[in-house]
Amino acid sequence: MRRTPFVALLLGLVLLSAGVLTMASADAAQRQQDRGVKRDAAQVATAFTTYFERARSLDLLLAQSPAFHPSGASLVADNAAANHALTYLEQLYPGAIGEACYIDSRGYEIARVTRGTPAAVADLSTGEATNAFFAKTFALPAGEVYQAAPYVSVDTHEWVISNSTWIRPGDAGPMIVHFEVGLESFRTHLHSSTHGRHVAVVDRGTGRTILQDGLALPATDPVGRFAPLPDVVRARPGAVKSLTTVGHGAAVSAIPRSSYNANDWMIVEWSTTRASFIPLWAGAAGASAGVALIIFFLLVLRRQQSVLRMATRLDHLTGMGNRKALEEALKDAVESAAQPDGHPAAVIMLDLDGFKQINDTLGHDKGDLVLQEIARRLHANTFEHDTAARLGGDEFAVVLRRLRTADDVAAVAYRLRDALIRPIVIDGVARFIGASFGGAVYGDHGTAPEELLRAADAAMYQAKRGREGVRLYAPGTAEGANASTLAADLLLAIEDDRIMLAFQPEFSVGTRRIVGVEALARWQHADQEVPPSEFVPLAEQTGLIRELTHLTLRKALDEAQRWHEAGLLLPVSVNLSAQLVADRSLRSDVDEMLHERGLTGEALVLEITESTSIADPEAATE
């Protein structure tokens, strides 16, 4: 389970990297496709523009032909000359010119050529004035050409667009030179450079399709229902004013038009193939999944860090807060109490009495059960705004907030003591566990959290020594706190081998000879020597007496070994604490020390006080 966040992070980074690369590749391919489509559309538009300009120029050039400027010739002569000139168009636009004619101002055809074949005079039309191009052509300024919108030719029955301009031949009235170009002939320009692309000619104003590659013209209407263009193209044609790239594999390109061109067309080209093998959405999905996994990792990591932060403030045996949690709670309580409208705050330290006997006689597992029960009772008898914590061993503390007066501290301490000293059932037997309480109040006994903790600890120590149960801090109580500090220094002195020995000779009055030497422990602490009468009882109270005695035994036997090697066979005496008399492992420890130094039991004397012998005669005798 612990690996899951890191697996998610690794997978997320892989997916994010792959997704970004895929998106970049797909985007590059899409951009390349868009550029190709845009280029093709522009090329087709250029081809159409050139086609239109050529037809316009041809119409103007045709209008200058002498065949359309007779001077006194007959109508038949005019018809023959005009037919010859109109037939020449087929050579210029092979397969594109459907019908060409010469029309006077009344709408009478003077000459007409259909697919290269001149019409007989008798077949010429006299009703061209009704055609859409007729009036618009006569309305043109001199030298301009009118290009009509697509329509079905009466003569060829095909879809065409027409080009027409007017001329004034001699003294005669204006006449029209007119020819039709088959709409199908434009299809040769509808091509693309790559397979999978399509091109269409679309009317800019209506958005309807005029021509499309691969699709035939409808029978009656060129704006019929061709295959639909892509939505992104169909949504924009009416708004296109110039060359515009639509994107996503589609582009539009406008065909420039003259003022007298009825055809406002544009070229639309689009691709039906995907630009990249892997779609852009797949890369985006992969990148999104990668980001989601990374966010998942960060959330899990943040949660784990939160759990770890809580764990650093938690006592794992009892589930209570630990010393760090207590210090933070006390700091917060002190800051709140320091406010003008703050409530009094206090801290209570408590230590269990007789807990060591529980551990020694019943085992540490039963001792843990006692600590857990004490923690449960503390939690049950404190308010939610108070903080109870286990500082270590059998020592607990409670931070009190929102007190009405400082006198409430003692009342709370007595209430907690009554709850804790009720018998605890262990293995079916009710056991009594005592407790000593010491309290300190913000303002009265200190203003800093450290001062309050020292004061409460000193008061608790005095309550334990005086067996008072509960005691608030008072001047002089700090001696107990100094004793606990001295005990910590004593432990370090034992571990660092800074306990020295002084040797006092034992003199026999009868033989007037030295018969032995007594080893006495000495401790030089800081700048002063701590007397044995002070640090030996302290060692007994704090459980350090065994380490102190073993250190004294080792040092004394080391000295006795040097004496024996020098030929001085004198025994060394070491005082034995009453607590160690009952220690069943003492004999084996002493035997091992003697054996390591090559000494016999005659080299060591263990001195036991009379009070120890009376308290436990069997253990003392053994």
Side-chain angles (χ1 to χ4, degrees):
M1 187 64 180
R2 295 179 179 178
R3 297 180 181 177
T4 302
F6 296 98
V7 172
L9 174 62
L10 181 61
L11 183 59
L13 291 174
V14 171
L15 288 176
L16 178 60
S17 301
V20 171
L21 290 176
T22 301
M23 291 173 62
S25 176
D27 183 66
Q30 185 66 59
R31 289 176 182 271
Q32 183 177 2
Q33 185 187 71
D34 289 345
R35 286 193 295 268
V37 171
K38 179 180 176 181
R39 181 180 61 251
D40 284 356
Q43 290 175 352
V44 175
T46 301
F48 270 73
T49 300
T50 303
Y51 198 94
F52 281 147
E53 288 297 325
R54 184 182 178 190
R56 180 176 180 275
S57 299
L58 181 60
D59 205 3
L60 293 175
L61 181 62
L62 184 64
Q64 301 301 319
S65 173
F68 304 121
H69 297 273
S71 56
S74 65
L75 178 61
V76 176
D78 291 342
N79 172 264
N83 283 337
H84 179 73
L86 294 175
T87 303
Y88 185 65
L89 289 174
E90 182 68 25
Q91 300 178 21
L92 298 177
Y93 275 93
I97 301 299
E99 182 258 357
C101 61
Y102 184 36
I103 307 170
D104 65 15
S105 60
R106 299 170 299 170
Y108 292 0
E109 286 182 337
I110 297 175
R112 180 177 78 243
V113 175
T114 302
R115 299 190 185 280
T117 302
V121 175
D123 294 332
L124 296 178
S125 171
T126 59
E128 295 299 325
T130 61
N131 285 332
F133 65 82
F134 189 81
K136 293 183 178 179
T137 302
F138 279 119
L140 292 174
E144 294 293 342
V145 176
Y146 175 71
Q147 293 177 328
Y151 62 91
V152 178
S153 173
V154 176
D155 298 303
T156 63
H157 306 288
E158 294 178 352
W159 283 101
V160 296
I161 60 172
S162 64
N163 295 268
S164 54
T165 185
W166 65 269
I167 59 175
R168 186 182 296 277
D171 296 332
M175 294 185 178
I176 293 177
V177 178
H178 168 81
F179 67 89
E180 297 173 345
V181 179
L183 193 59
E184 190 67 30
S185 65
F186 288 91
R187 191 178 298 278
T188 59
H189 301 290
L190 294 179
H191 61 85
S192 59
S193 62
T194 305
H195 175 73
R197 295 180 185 173
H198 295 280
V199 186
V201 180
V202 180
D203 186 273
R204 187 201 303 264
T206 63
R208 296 181 298 181
T209 303
I210 305 300
L211 283 171
Q212 184 171 335
D213 64 322
L215 294 177
L217 287 168
T220 58
D221 190 351
V223 294
R225 298 178 180 273
F226 289 122
L229 302 179
D231 292 340
V232 68
V233 179
R234 289 190 295 161
R236 298 192 179 189
V240 174
K241 300 300 181 184
S242 60
L243 182 62
T244 304
T245 297
V246 178
H248 301 286
V252 294
S253 182
I255 301 174
R257 58 190 287 263
S258 64
S259 303
Y260 308 103
N261 187 353
N263 300 298
D264 189 6
W265 292 351
M266 62 183 180
I267 303 301
V268 179
E269 181 162 346
W270 69 98
S271 176
T272 57
T273 59
R274 196 163 53 198
S276 173
F277 175 74
I278 302 177
L280 184 64
W281 65 262
S288 300
V291 172
L293 288 174
I294 294 174
I295 292 175
F296 168 76
F297 165 77
L298 294 176
L299 292 176
V300 172
L301 183 63
R302 181 177 180 182
R303 181 178 179 183
Q304 289 179 346
Q305 290 177 342
S306 177
V307 171
L308 290 176
R309 284 194 297 268
M310 292 179 60
T312 60
R313 295 165 174 78
L314 191 68
D315 177 65
H316 298 286
L317 176 62
T318 62
M320 306 177 69
N322 57 14
R323 180 178 291 274
K324 184 176 181 62
L326 178 86
E327 292 173 349
E328 292 178 353
L330 183 57
K331 180 181 178 181
D332 181 70
V334 166
E335 291 176 353
S336 178
Q339 300 300 320
D341 56 346
H343 295 279
V347 60
I348 295 176
M349 303 279 286
L350 63 107
D351 187 85
L352 302 182
D353 299 332
F355 179 72
K356 186 177 183 301
Q357 284 74 13
I358 295 292
N359 274 338
D360 293 342
T361 58
L362 301 180
H364 287 278
D365 56 333
K366 299 301 186 291
D368 290 344
L369 294 178
V370 170
L371 294 176
Q372 291 170 353
E373 176 61 19
I374 293 296
R376 187 193 66 79
R377 294 183 182 183
L378 272 179
H379 181 73
N381 288 275
T382 52
F383 296 104
E384 64 276 2
H385 47 262
D386 297 331
T387 301
R390 177 181 174 230
L391 305 185
D394 59 343
E395 190 174 18
F396 297 81
V398 180
V399 175
L400 303 178
R401 300 181 180 89
R402 301 184 186 180
L403 297 171
R404 291 175 299 177
T405 63
D407 296 336
D408 292 340
V409 179
V412 172
Y414 278 111
R415 177 171 57 82
L416 292 176
R417 184 173 183 272
D418 291 341
L420 298 188
I421 64 176
R422 292 197 307 269
I424 299 176
V425 178
I426 305 175
D427 292 339
V429 179
R431 307 280 181 172
F432 176 82
I433 304 295
S436 299
F437 288 72
V441 182
Y442 171 80
D444 296 342
H445 306 142
T447 56
E450 299 80 8
E451 295 176 353
L452 293 176
L453 286 174
R454 285 197 299 268
D457 187 62
M460 182 269 292
Y461 183 82
Q462 286 298 103
K464 182 180 286 290
R465 292 188 61 181
R467 299 184 179 181
E468 302 175 25
V470 174
R471 181 166 182 171
L472 292 182
Y473 177 78
T477 315
E479 296 177 0
N482 293 335
S484 63
T485 303
L486 193 64
D489 293 338
L490 177 60
L491 173 61
L492 293 176
I494 294 173
E495 292 179 348
D496 296 341
D497 197 14
R498 288 188 281 108
I499 301 297
M500 309 304 295
L501 295 186
F503 295 96
Q504 177 174 282
E506 295 180 350
F507 184 76
S508 172
V509 178
T511 62
R512 304 186 64 80
R513 295 174 63 87
I514 294 176
V515 296
V517 178
E518 182 179 5
L520 303 175
R522 295 291 183 265
W523 179 26
Q524 185 69 29
H525 179 251
D527 296 333
Q528 61 181 359
E529 181 177 329
V530 181
S533 59
E534 183 174 342
F535 72 80
V536 171
L538 180 62
E540 291 178 336
Q541 294 172 6
T542 57
L544 295 176
I545 190 61
R546 189 175 191 278
E547 288 78 4
L548 178 61
T549 302
H550 279 61
L551 178 62
T552 304
L553 283 171
R554 287 194 298 272
K555 284 180 170 288
L557 291 177
D558 287 341
E559 195 68 25
Q561 180 184 9
R562 286 191 288 271
W563 296 341
H564 280 229
E565 290 174 351
L568 186 60
L569 304 179
L570 287 176
V572 61
S573 300
V574 176
N575 291 324
L576 196 61
S577 170
Q579 294 182 12
L580 293 183
V581 171
D583 187 353
R584 303 295 181 179
S585 63
L586 178 65
R587 175 174 176 174
S588 61
D589 293 341
V590 173
D591 284 343
E592 184 178 354
M593 293 181 190
L594 290 170
H595 179 72
E596 288 175 352
R597 294 162 179 80
L599 301 175
T600 65
E602 296 177 352
L604 176 64
V605 176
L606 295 178
E607 296 188 357
I608 301 175
T609 62
E610 294 84 351
S611 59
T612 301
S613 302
I614 296 173
D616 193 348
E618 294 183 3
T621 302
E622 184 180 352

